[in-house]
């Protein structure tokens, strides 16, 4: 049985404060707060419990920080002509398919983005997060009104998702969906650098999707490729994670599956990303110049489970802060996602009903909190038996019901309006729960 460590909202606030989200690096204070929380948890009967720390049973899954996994595939894409999509790329395709099918995650080098572009993007990310909190707050998300583009402090992220990382997130493309006033104007180089980075990553992700589909013999002119073409949304999420003296007790990003087609991630040299394979967590090594590619839910549907989305999480470092840049492609809201026809026949029936991406997001927001596979809701009848079993085995993250979260979140607005899914809705952000209202 999973044992949760109960902590009241006030203790959580103190803990956060002591981890110095706002003012420096009070590591000793954080240790003290953790001790207070542990002592309190011994009694286990606080009615206003906010269940958010890593369950005791899962704390043993934390590996020492230096044990990176050498088996996660590292792909050299230098054989690809990054400007010519007509090029036959048989060898690269076969290797990518193998990596995608076996791990659901891989790293790529010689991917067409110059190292200077990756370094430049990381430099402006670090600069942005090192600005005073008030300045970052000028780009804050207006999540009271359901808008989830912009800056989210660690405190806000903690209220929403019980994890410890601040973020700046927004839609990069298509332009009309991007809320441009949430793009920082400092550092001065930010916009140009991120724009170049975003364009390069977009090209790379589209190319990898094409190759992965080609590897499964889905032709370039197939309905699936046509469906994807011109219907993609590109999202950006810059992340900043403070050091945590007891990283086994709280996560930087809880275990989850990305709702995306593919996600690209660049991390600094601190590391912290872990992926789950067959129930075991593995650390993804930071490799200078490499881009981590993570398979999301949508590629799982499109490929009819030939590829699976990979569960991942971010573990905090006891001594160092960490930055990451996450950039992903999803279908647009009205895109109908379904298994590619080429991958369905009598022996391999469609495992998913066609759904619009908007419906997927609406139907799966709760899964973000339970850690269960969101796609289960769209499985065809035929395959639901096996799925229920699978779902019960999925690791959970310590939030057994969204209602608990609602109870735990301090209301920020006493008179909330009824909130409708907004145009930012496509953004793959944890759904905010507020007084019973669910917001994308
Ligand atoms: O910061 C990271 O390394 C990963 C964050 C992540 O998984 C996400 O943004 O979906
Ligand atoms: Fe993710």
């Amino acid at each position: 049985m999973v044992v949760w460590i109960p902590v009241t909202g006030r203790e959580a606030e103190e803990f956060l404060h002591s981890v110095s989200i706002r003012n420096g690096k009070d590591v000793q204070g954080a240790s003290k707060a953790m001790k207070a929380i542990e002592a309190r948890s011994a009694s286990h009967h606080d009615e206003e419990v906010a269940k958010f720390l890593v369950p005791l049973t899962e704390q043993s899954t934390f590996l020492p920080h230096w044990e990176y996994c050498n088996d996660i595939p590292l792909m050299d894409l230098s054989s690809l002509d990054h400007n010519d999509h007509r090029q036959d790329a048989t060898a690269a395709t076969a290797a990518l398919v193998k990596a995608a099918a076996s791990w659901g995650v891989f790293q790529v080098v010689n991917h067409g983005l110059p190292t200077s572009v990756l370094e430049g993007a990381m430099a402006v990310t670090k600069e942005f997060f090192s600005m005073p909190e008030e300045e970052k707050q000028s780009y804050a998300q207006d999540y009271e009104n359901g808008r989830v583009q912009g800056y989210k402090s660690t405190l806000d992220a903690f209220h929403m998702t019980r994890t410890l990382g601040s973020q700046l997130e927004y839609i990069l493309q298509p332009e009309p969906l991007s809320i441009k006033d949430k793009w920082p104007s400092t550092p001065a180089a930010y916009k140009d650098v991120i724009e170049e980075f975003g364009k390069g990553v977009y090209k790379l992700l589209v190319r990898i999707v094409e190759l992965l589909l080609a590897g499964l013999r889905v032709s370039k002119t197939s309905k699936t490729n046509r469906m994807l073409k011109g219907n993609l949304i590109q999202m950006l999420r810059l992340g900043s994670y403070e050091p945590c003296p007891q990283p086994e007790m709280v996560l930087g990003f809880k275990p989850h599956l990305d709702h995306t087609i593919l996600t690209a991630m660049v991390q600094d040299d601190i590391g912290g990303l872990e992926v789950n394979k067959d129930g075991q967590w593995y650390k993804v090594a930071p490799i200078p110049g490499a881009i981590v590619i993570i398979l999301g839910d949508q590629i799982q549907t499109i490929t009819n489970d030939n590829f699976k989305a990979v569960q991942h999480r971010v573990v905090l470092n006891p001594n160092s802060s960490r930055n990451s840049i996450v950039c992903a492609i999803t279908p647009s809201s009205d895109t109908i996602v379904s298994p590619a026809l080429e991958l369905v026949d009598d022996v391999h029936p469609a495992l998913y009903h066609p759904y619009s991406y908007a419906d997927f997001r609406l139907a799966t927001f709760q899964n973000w909190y339970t850690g269960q596979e969101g796609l289960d809701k769209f499985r065809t009848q035929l395959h639901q038996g096996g799925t229920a079993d699978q779902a019960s085995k999925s690791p959970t993250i310590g939030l057994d019901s969204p209602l608990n979260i609602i109870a735990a979140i301090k209301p920020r607005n006493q008179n909330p309006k009824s909130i409708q899914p907004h145009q930012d809705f496509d953004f793959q952000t944890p759904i905010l729960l507020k007084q019973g209202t669910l917001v994308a």
Side-chain angles (χ1 to χ4, degrees):
M1 200 192 80
V2 172
V3 179
W4 303 106
I5 300 176
V7 182
T8 63
R10 182 138 173 273
E11 280 162 333
E13 296 279 357
E14 278 168 8
F15 169 60
L16 275 175
H17 197 71
S18 63
V19 191
S20 316
I21 297 339
R22 290 167 169 157
N23 55 1
K25 309 218 175 337
D26 178 12
V27 170
Q28 254 191 345
S31 289
K32 259 203 270 170
M34 291 305 301
K35 288 222 163 59
I37 290 168
E38 279 177 276
R40 181 66 175 261
S41 71
S43 66
H44 277 283
H45 45 240
D46 190 325
E47 285 305 311
E48 288 168 69
V49 167
K51 300 170 179 175
F52 60 87
L53 293 188
V54 175
L56 291 176
T57 47
E58 272 182 37
Q59 289 180 17
S60 62
T61 68
F62 285 73
L63 300 169
H65 274 269
W66 52 89
E67 281 185 33
Y68 290 119
C69 172
N70 292 324
D71 296 336
I72 296 171
L74 175 62
M75 322 288 305
D76 181 346
L77 301 185
S78 55
S79 69
L80 294 182
D81 180 339
H82 295 291
N83 293 315
D84 182 4
H85 285 218
R86 293 160 309 169
Q87 174 207 28
D88 175 20
T90 319
T93 301
L96 283 170
V97 166
K98 194 167 164 216
S102 55
W103 277 87
V105 62
F106 48 87
Q107 304 212 49
V108 291
V109 289
N110 295 316
H111 36 58
L113 276 89
T115 305
S116 59
V117 171
L118 301 194
E119 287 173 353
M122 187 55 79
V124 293
T125 299
K126 285 184 184 292
E127 262 185 82
F128 173 79
F129 285 109
S130 67
M131 295 196 308
E133 186 64 27
E134 309 81 73
E135 210 163 322
K136 288 183 281 190
Q137 282 295 343
S138 64
Y139 304 103
Q141 295 180 10
D142 182 12
Y143 53 76
E144 295 290 348
N145 292 309
R147 289 176 172 249
V148 295
Q149 294 192 54
Y151 173 68
K152 181 164 67 190
S153 70
T154 305
L155 193 63
D156 289 334
F158 193 63
H159 274 288
M160 286 188 234
T161 63
R162 301 302 186 243
T163 55
L164 278 186
S166 54
Q167 294 163 355
L168 174 67
E169 51 195 352
Y170 48 82
I171 292 171
L172 280 178
Q173 291 190 58
E175 289 249 333
L177 290 185
S178 187
I179 302 183
K180 279 284 166 67
D181 60 5
K182 299 296 181 192
W183 292 47
S185 45
T186 40
Y190 181 92
K191 282 185 186 146
D192 289 348
V193 169
I194 291 296
E195 206 152 1
E196 188 178 2
F197 173 83
K199 283 193 175 129
V201 171
Y202 185 84
K203 230 166 91 176
L204 174 68
L205 290 180
V206 169
R207 187 77 200 275
I208 293 176
V209 172
E210 277 177 11
L211 293 171
L212 287 174
L213 291 179
L216 297 179
R217 305 202 191 297
V218 176
S219 80
K220 272 194 179 161
T221 54
S222 79
K223 202 172 149 214
T224 300
N225 273 311
R226 276 186 284 128
M227 173 272 286
L228 292 175
K229 223 174 179 137
N231 276 325
L232 296 175
I233 292 193
Q234 184 183 19
M235 303 143 0
L236 179 76
R237 174 182 288 147
L238 310 182
S240 175
Y241 304 86
E242 290 297 312
C244 178
Q246 286 173 275
E248 70 283 7
M249 292 194 77
V250 64
L251 286 162
F253 211 117
K254 69 191 176 60
H256 64 282
L257 302 166
D258 284 355
H259 293 154
T260 61
I261 299 170
L262 283 187
T263 304
M265 198 278 289
V266 176
Q267 60 180 336
D268 64 15
D269 57 348
I270 299 304
L273 178 71
E274 296 187 351
V275 294
N276 194 310
K277 180 171 162 53
D278 305 326
Q280 170 88 36
W281 289 104
Y282 296 92
K283 287 188 181 303
V284 180
I287 299 174
I291 299 179
V292 181
I293 306 291
I294 296 169
L295 273 66
D297 286 326
Q298 309 314 315
I299 200 147
Q300 179 167 335
T301 301
I302 292 166
T303 64
N304 209 29
D305 277 8
N306 275 281
F307 300 140
K308 294 276 188 69
V310 62
Q311 194 190 37
H312 53 286
R313 69 182 184 185
V314 175
V315 171
L316 297 166
N317 186 289
N319 308 310
S320 311
S321 59
R322 170 201 190 240
N323 289 102
S324 65
I325 309 175
V326 170
C327 197
I329 48 173
T330 75
S332 59
S333 293
D334 54 0
T335 300
I336 303 296
V337 184
S338 61
L341 290 177
E342 293 86 339
L343 302 176
V344 173
D345 58 28
D346 290 347
V347 186
H348 308 96
L351 300 177
Y352 302 97
H353 296 293
Y355 56 80
S356 76
Y357 184 64
D359 285 345
F360 174 86
R361 293 286 286 123
L362 270 178
T364 58
F365 50 71
Q366 291 186 6
N367 294 78
W368 242 91
Y369 289 98
T370 61
Q372 285 175 3
E373 205 184 326
L375 277 175
D376 285 350
K377 299 201 171 168
F378 296 95
R379 287 205 184 248
T380 47
Q381 286 286 317
L382 203 58
H383 298 90
Q384 274 175 0
T387 310
D389 183 44
Q390 233 177 302
S392 68
K393 284 193 207 129
S394 319
T396 59
I397 51 128
L399 297 167
D400 54 359
S401 144
L403 291 177
N404 280 338
I405 307 169
I406 294 165
I409 293 175
K410 238 184 11 200
R412 285 158 185 278
N413 175 353
Q414 297 305 325
N415 299 305
K417 290 176 247 160
S418 155
I419 297 171
Q420 298 300 318
H422 194 262
Q423 61 171 6
D424 313 15
F425 172 67
D426 273 309
F427 198 44
Q428 188 235 338
T429 292
I431 310 301
L432 170 65
L433 293 129
K434 199 176 62 169
Q435 298 195 343
T437 313
L438 299 161
V439 186

